[in-house]
């Protein structure tokens, strides 16, 4: 069995909002606003109690939005997220169990990497779209440039501390397939239900990725 190709699944989705859901209705409205702004893939973190329900609601009610689960820390969460409707899973790091579970379950997987050894472990397990986390803290821009030589086949999705300004720089790298960030779903906009603002942020992000 081989790994599902996350590069193909997320092709064309270059900026991925990392969203921590506060409620199911909020999640659906957020996903709709992002999609209206042209963003077609979202990583929902499993940091809140409602996260699995939020994933299920987006999968059910927002056709056209690819929904993935973030903060996946063990295979049970990966299985649960897939059952809820997630078509991809993302982790801040990785483990041999997770690298294997993704292949067994047939779910696209972005393991988190911060070192060459972690890149090698992920590639050996068949995963080639790798979340570089926490990007800004580990100078991921230079790291990703340096990894072009030895890991030519790998594609990266830097996440952590990236905003719209930094995004432009990262997206210029030929081995950066996508990047993640929470700046598209600001807490105050979620609190006040300012979906127009989220749609606007999505639109700006899409424009960035074409730049
Ligand atoms: O929850 C997870 O699984 C994570 O890995 C953390 C997120 O990717 C970062 O929290 C992104 O957030 P910003 O740095 O605000 O863009």
């Amino acid at each position: 069995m081989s790994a599902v190709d996350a590069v193909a699944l997320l092709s064309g989705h270059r900026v991925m909002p990392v969203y921590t859901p506060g409620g199911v209705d909020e999640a659906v409205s957020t996903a709709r606003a992002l999609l209206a702004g042209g963003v077609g893939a979202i990583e929902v973190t499993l940091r809140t109690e409602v996260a699995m329900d939020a994933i299920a609601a987006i999968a059910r009610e927002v056709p056209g939005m690819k929904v993935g689960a973030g903060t996946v820390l063990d295979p049970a969460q990966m299985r649960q997220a897939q059952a809820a409707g997630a078509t991809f899973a993302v982790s801040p790091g990785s483990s041999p169990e997770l690298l294997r579970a993704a292949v067994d379950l047939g779910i696209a997987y972005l393991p988190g990497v911060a070192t060459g050894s972690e890149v090698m472990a992920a590639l050996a397990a068949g995963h080639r779209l790798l979340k570089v986390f926490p990007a800004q803290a580990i100078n991921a821009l230079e790291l990703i440039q340096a990894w072009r030589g030895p890991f030519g086949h790998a594609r990266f999705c830097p996440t952590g501390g990236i905003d719209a300004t930094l995004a432009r720089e990262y997206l210029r790298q030929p081995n950066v397939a996508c990047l993640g960030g929470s700046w598209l779903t600001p807490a105050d906009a979620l609190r006040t239900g300012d979906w127009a603002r989220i749609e606007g942020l999505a639109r700006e992000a899409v424009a960035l990725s074409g730049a």
Side-chain angles (χ1 to χ4, degrees), residues 18 43 45 47 70-72 90-92 131 133 159-162 180-183:
V18 178
E43 174 187 335
T45 74
R47 294 200 218 169
T71 336
V72 172
V90 189
S91 297
K131 169 170 176 164
F133 179 79
T159 306
I162 298 177
S182 65
W183 90 87

PDB file of all heavy atoms in Angstrom, residues 18 43 45 47 70-72 90-92 131 133 159-162 180-183, ligand 1:
ATOM      1  N   VAL A  18      -5.377  27.869   9.148  1.00  0.00           N
ATOM      2  CA  VAL A  18      -5.350  26.968  10.304  1.00  0.00           C
ATOM      3  C   VAL A  18      -6.358  27.540  11.293  1.00  0.00           C
ATOM      4  O   VAL A  18      -6.166  28.615  11.851  1.00  0.00           O
ATOM      5  CB  VAL A  18      -3.942  26.903  10.929  1.00  0.00           C
ATOM      6  CG1 VAL A  18      -3.950  26.001  12.164  1.00  0.00           C
ATOM      7  CG2 VAL A  18      -2.926  26.389   9.918  1.00  0.00           C
ATOM      8  N   GLU A  43      -7.515  23.699   7.397  1.00  0.00           N
ATOM      9  CA  GLU A  43      -7.049  22.787   8.449  1.00  0.00           C
ATOM     10  C   GLU A  43      -7.764  23.175   9.740  1.00  0.00           C
ATOM     11  O   GLU A  43      -7.596  24.288  10.244  1.00  0.00           O
ATOM     12  CB  GLU A  43      -5.528  22.924   8.616  1.00  0.00           C
ATOM     13  CG  GLU A  43      -4.979  22.114   9.781  1.00  0.00           C
ATOM     14  CD  GLU A  43      -3.483  22.383  10.047  1.00  0.00           C
ATOM     15  OE1 GLU A  43      -2.758  22.802   9.108  1.00  0.00           O
ATOM     16  OE2 GLU A  43      -3.056  22.191  11.196  1.00  0.00           O
ATOM     17  N   THR A  45      -8.017  22.631  13.578  1.00  0.00           N
ATOM     18  CA  THR A  45      -7.207  22.025  14.644  1.00  0.00           C
ATOM     19  C   THR A  45      -8.113  21.266  15.613  1.00  0.00           C
ATOM     20  O   THR A  45      -9.267  21.627  15.833  1.00  0.00           O
ATOM     21  CB  THR A  45      -6.401  23.080  15.433  1.00  0.00           C
ATOM     22  OG1 THR A  45      -7.281  23.815  16.286  1.00  0.00           O
ATOM     23  CG2 THR A  45      -5.659  24.027  14.515  1.00  0.00           C
ATOM     24  N   ARG A  47      -8.002  21.248  18.690  1.00  0.00           N
ATOM     25  CA  ARG A  47      -7.673  21.819  19.999  1.00  0.00           C
ATOM     26  C   ARG A  47      -8.892  22.106  20.849  1.00  0.00           C
ATOM     27  O   ARG A  47      -8.764  22.423  22.018  1.00  0.00           O
ATOM     28  CB  ARG A  47      -6.921  23.130  19.814  1.00  0.00           C
ATOM     29  CG  ARG A  47      -5.564  22.946  19.182  1.00  0.00           C
ATOM     30  CD  ARG A  47      -4.741  24.158  19.492  1.00  0.00           C
ATOM     31  NE  ARG A  47      -3.913  24.517  18.372  1.00  0.00           N
ATOM     32  CZ  ARG A  47      -3.263  25.656  18.313  1.00  0.00           C
ATOM     33  NH1 ARG A  47      -3.400  26.548  19.269  1.00  0.00           N
ATOM     34  NH2 ARG A  47      -2.498  25.922  17.275  1.00  0.00           N
ATOM     35  N   GLY A  70      -6.115  19.190  11.914  1.00  0.00           N
ATOM     36  CA  GLY A  70      -4.776  19.532  12.400  1.00  0.00           C
ATOM     37  C   GLY A  70      -4.600  19.066  13.836  1.00  0.00           C
ATOM     38  O   GLY A  70      -5.547  18.566  14.458  1.00  0.00           O
ATOM     39  N   THR A  71      -3.380  19.250  14.334  1.00  0.00           N
ATOM     40  CA  THR A  71      -3.053  18.823  15.712  1.00  0.00           C
ATOM     41  C   THR A  71      -3.330  17.328  15.917  1.00  0.00           C
ATOM     42  O   THR A  71      -3.738  16.911  17.009  1.00  0.00           O
ATOM     43  CB  THR A  71      -3.835  19.634  16.782  1.00  0.00           C
ATOM     44  OG1 THR A  71      -4.217  20.905  16.258  1.00  0.00           O
ATOM     45  CG2 THR A  71      -2.973  19.857  18.016  1.00  0.00           C
ATOM     46  N   VAL A  72      -3.117  16.545  14.885  1.00  0.00           N
ATOM     47  CA  VAL A  72      -3.329  15.096  15.013  1.00  0.00           C
ATOM     48  C   VAL A  72      -2.107  14.501  15.721  1.00  0.00           C
ATOM     49  O   VAL A  72      -0.994  14.523  15.193  1.00  0.00           O
ATOM     50  CB  VAL A  72      -3.546  14.449  13.620  1.00  0.00           C
ATOM     51  CG1 VAL A  72      -3.577  12.932  13.724  1.00  0.00           C
ATOM     52  CG2 VAL A  72      -4.834  14.974  13.007  1.00  0.00           C
ATOM     53  N   VAL A  90      -2.988  16.653   9.511  1.00  0.00           N
ATOM     54  CA  VAL A  90      -1.755  17.418   9.681  1.00  0.00           C
ATOM     55  C   VAL A  90      -1.307  17.283  11.130  1.00  0.00           C
ATOM     56  O   VAL A  90      -2.133  17.305  12.047  1.00  0.00           O
ATOM     57  CB  VAL A  90      -1.993  18.922   9.377  1.00  0.00           C
ATOM     58  CG1 VAL A  90      -0.679  19.686   9.340  1.00  0.00           C
ATOM     59  CG2 VAL A  90      -2.760  19.118   8.076  1.00  0.00           C
ATOM     60  N   SER A  91       0.017  17.153  11.321  1.00  0.00           N
ATOM     61  CA  SER A  91       0.546  17.069  12.690  1.00  0.00           C
ATOM     62  C   SER A  91       1.654  18.095  12.884  1.00  0.00           C
ATOM     63  O   SER A  91       2.370  18.430  11.939  1.00  0.00           O
ATOM     64  CB  SER A  91       1.144  15.686  12.957  1.00  0.00           C
ATOM     65  OG  SER A  91       0.174  14.685  12.873  1.00  0.00           O
ATOM     66  N   PRO A  92       1.817  18.543  14.109  1.00  0.00           N
ATOM     67  CA  PRO A  92       2.918  19.473  14.393  1.00  0.00           C
ATOM     68  C   PRO A  92       4.275  18.779  14.415  1.00  0.00           C
ATOM     69  O   PRO A  92       5.316  19.434  14.374  1.00  0.00           O
ATOM     70  CB  PRO A  92       2.552  20.037  15.777  1.00  0.00           C
ATOM     71  CG  PRO A  92       1.604  19.049  16.371  1.00  0.00           C
ATOM     72  CD  PRO A  92       0.915  18.347  15.250  1.00  0.00           C
ATOM     73  N   LYS A 131       4.706  19.446   6.679  1.00  0.00           N
ATOM     74  CA  LYS A 131       4.479  20.704   7.393  1.00  0.00           C
ATOM     75  C   LYS A 131       5.788  21.074   8.106  1.00  0.00           C
ATOM     76  O   LYS A 131       6.324  20.264   8.865  1.00  0.00           O
ATOM     77  CB  LYS A 131       3.360  20.508   8.410  1.00  0.00           C
ATOM     78  CG  LYS A 131       3.197  21.654   9.401  1.00  0.00           C
ATOM     79  CD  LYS A 131       1.931  21.518  10.214  1.00  0.00           C
ATOM     80  CE  LYS A 131       1.812  22.611  11.258  1.00  0.00           C
ATOM     81  NZ  LYS A 131       0.444  22.734  11.789  1.00  0.00           N
ATOM     82  N   PHE A 133       7.218  23.066  10.899  1.00  0.00           N
ATOM     83  CA  PHE A 133       6.644  23.715  12.078  1.00  0.00           C
ATOM     84  C   PHE A 133       7.623  23.685  13.248  1.00  0.00           C
ATOM     85  O   PHE A 133       8.274  22.659  13.461  1.00  0.00           O
ATOM     86  CB  PHE A 133       5.354  22.991  12.476  1.00  0.00           C
ATOM     87  CG  PHE A 133       4.698  23.570  13.701  1.00  0.00           C
ATOM     88  CD1 PHE A 133       3.935  24.724  13.629  1.00  0.00           C
ATOM     89  CD2 PHE A 133       4.872  22.961  14.935  1.00  0.00           C
ATOM     90  CE1 PHE A 133       3.344  25.260  14.765  1.00  0.00           C
ATOM     91  CE2 PHE A 133       4.287  23.496  16.071  1.00  0.00           C
ATOM     92  CZ  PHE A 133       3.527  24.643  15.988  1.00  0.00           C
ATOM     93  N   THR A 159       4.394  26.443   8.435  1.00  0.00           N
ATOM     94  CA  THR A 159       3.308  26.950   9.285  1.00  0.00           C
ATOM     95  C   THR A 159       3.881  27.343  10.638  1.00  0.00           C
ATOM     96  O   THR A 159       4.766  26.659  11.160  1.00  0.00           O
ATOM     97  CB  THR A 159       2.245  25.849   9.507  1.00  0.00           C
ATOM     98  OG1 THR A 159       1.804  25.358   8.248  1.00  0.00           O
ATOM     99  CG2 THR A 159       1.037  26.398  10.264  1.00  0.00           C
ATOM    100  N   GLY A 160       3.358  28.428  11.170  1.00  0.00           N
ATOM    101  CA  GLY A 160       3.799  28.860  12.496  1.00  0.00           C
ATOM    102  C   GLY A 160       4.434  30.221  12.443  1.00  0.00           C
ATOM    103  O   GLY A 160       5.582  30.365  12.008  1.00  0.00           O
ATOM    104  N   GLY A 161       3.659  31.231  12.821  1.00  0.00           N
ATOM    105  CA  GLY A 161       4.192  32.587  12.847  1.00  0.00           C
ATOM    106  C   GLY A 161       4.207  33.278  11.498  1.00  0.00           C
ATOM    107  O   GLY A 161       4.846  34.316  11.331  1.00  0.00           O
ATOM    108  N   ILE A 162       3.501  32.720  10.516  1.00  0.00           N
ATOM    109  CA  ILE A 162       3.494  33.322   9.171  1.00  0.00           C
ATOM    110  C   ILE A 162       2.276  34.244   9.027  1.00  0.00           C
ATOM    111  O   ILE A 162       1.172  33.890   9.420  1.00  0.00           O
ATOM    112  CB  ILE A 162       3.464  32.226   8.083  1.00  0.00           C
ATOM    113  CG1 ILE A 162       4.724  31.360   8.187  1.00  0.00           C
ATOM    114  CG2 ILE A 162       3.335  32.840   6.696  1.00  0.00           C
ATOM    115  CD1 ILE A 162       4.776  30.208   7.209  1.00  0.00           C
ATOM    116  N   GLY A 180       0.571  27.373   5.871  1.00  0.00           N
ATOM    117  CA  GLY A 180      -0.572  27.459   6.769  1.00  0.00           C
ATOM    118  C   GLY A 180      -0.454  28.649   7.700  1.00  0.00           C
ATOM    119  O   GLY A 180       0.642  29.129   7.986  1.00  0.00           O
ATOM    120  N   GLY A 181      -1.617  29.130   8.141  1.00  0.00           N
ATOM    121  CA  GLY A 181      -1.578  30.239   9.089  1.00  0.00           C
ATOM    122  C   GLY A 181      -2.947  30.536   9.682  1.00  0.00           C
ATOM    123  O   GLY A 181      -3.982  30.267   9.058  1.00  0.00           O
ATOM    124  N   SER A 182      -2.905  31.068  10.895  1.00  0.00           N
ATOM    125  CA  SER A 182      -4.159  31.398  11.579  1.00  0.00           C
ATOM    126  C   SER A 182      -4.597  32.825  11.291  1.00  0.00           C
ATOM    127  O   SER A 182      -5.669  33.240  11.731  1.00  0.00           O
ATOM    128  CB  SER A 182      -3.983  31.200  13.088  1.00  0.00           C
ATOM    129  OG  SER A 182      -3.026  32.117  13.577  1.00  0.00           O
ATOM    130  N   TRP A 183      -3.779  33.565  10.519  1.00  0.00           N
ATOM    131  CA  TRP A 183      -4.120  34.981  10.330  1.00  0.00           C
ATOM    132  C   TRP A 183      -5.411  35.174   9.522  1.00  0.00           C
ATOM    133  O   TRP A 183      -6.025  36.243   9.574  1.00  0.00           O
ATOM    134  CB  TRP A 183      -2.938  35.747   9.712  1.00  0.00           C
ATOM    135  CG  TRP A 183      -2.898  35.788   8.211  1.00  0.00           C
ATOM    136  CD1 TRP A 183      -3.508  36.692   7.396  1.00  0.00           C
ATOM    137  CD2 TRP A 183      -2.206  34.877   7.332  1.00  0.00           C
ATOM    138  NE1 TRP A 183      -3.245  36.406   6.067  1.00  0.00           N
ATOM    139  CE2 TRP A 183      -2.440  35.298   6.004  1.00  0.00           C
ATOM    140  CE3 TRP A 183      -1.397  33.751   7.538  1.00  0.00           C
ATOM    141  CZ2 TRP A 183      -1.914  34.629   4.897  1.00  0.00           C
ATOM    142  CZ3 TRP A 183      -0.868  33.085   6.441  1.00  0.00           C
ATOM    143  CH2 TRP A 183      -1.135  33.527   5.143  1.00  0.00           C
TER     144      TRP A 183
HETATM  145  O1  LIG B   1      -2.391  23.080  16.286  1.00  0.00           O
HETATM  146  C1  LIG B   1      -1.512  22.620  15.573  1.00  0.00           C
HETATM  147  O2  LIG B   1      -1.537  21.467  15.168  1.00  0.00           O
HETATM  148  C2  LIG B   1      -0.332  23.393  15.173  1.00  0.00           C
HETATM  149  O3  LIG B   1       0.591  22.833  14.669  1.00  0.00           O
HETATM  150  C3  LIG B   1      -0.240  24.803  15.389  1.00  0.00           C
HETATM  151  C4  LIG B   1      -0.661  25.661  14.194  1.00  0.00           C
HETATM  152  O4  LIG B   1      -0.197  25.186  12.980  1.00  0.00           O
HETATM  153  C5  LIG B   1      -0.228  27.024  14.463  1.00  0.00           C
HETATM  154  O5  LIG B   1      -0.866  27.430  15.643  1.00  0.00           O
HETATM  155  C6  LIG B   1      -0.482  27.996  13.346  1.00  0.00           C
HETATM  156  O6  LIG B   1      -0.815  29.230  13.887  1.00  0.00           O
HETATM  157  P1  LIG B   1      -0.047  30.609  13.585  1.00  0.00           P
HETATM  158  O7  LIG B   1       1.354  30.447  14.013  1.00  0.00           O
HETATM  159  O8  LIG B   1      -0.798  31.561  14.453  1.00  0.00           O
HETATM  160  O9  LIG B   1      -0.244  30.852  12.134  1.00  0.00           O
END
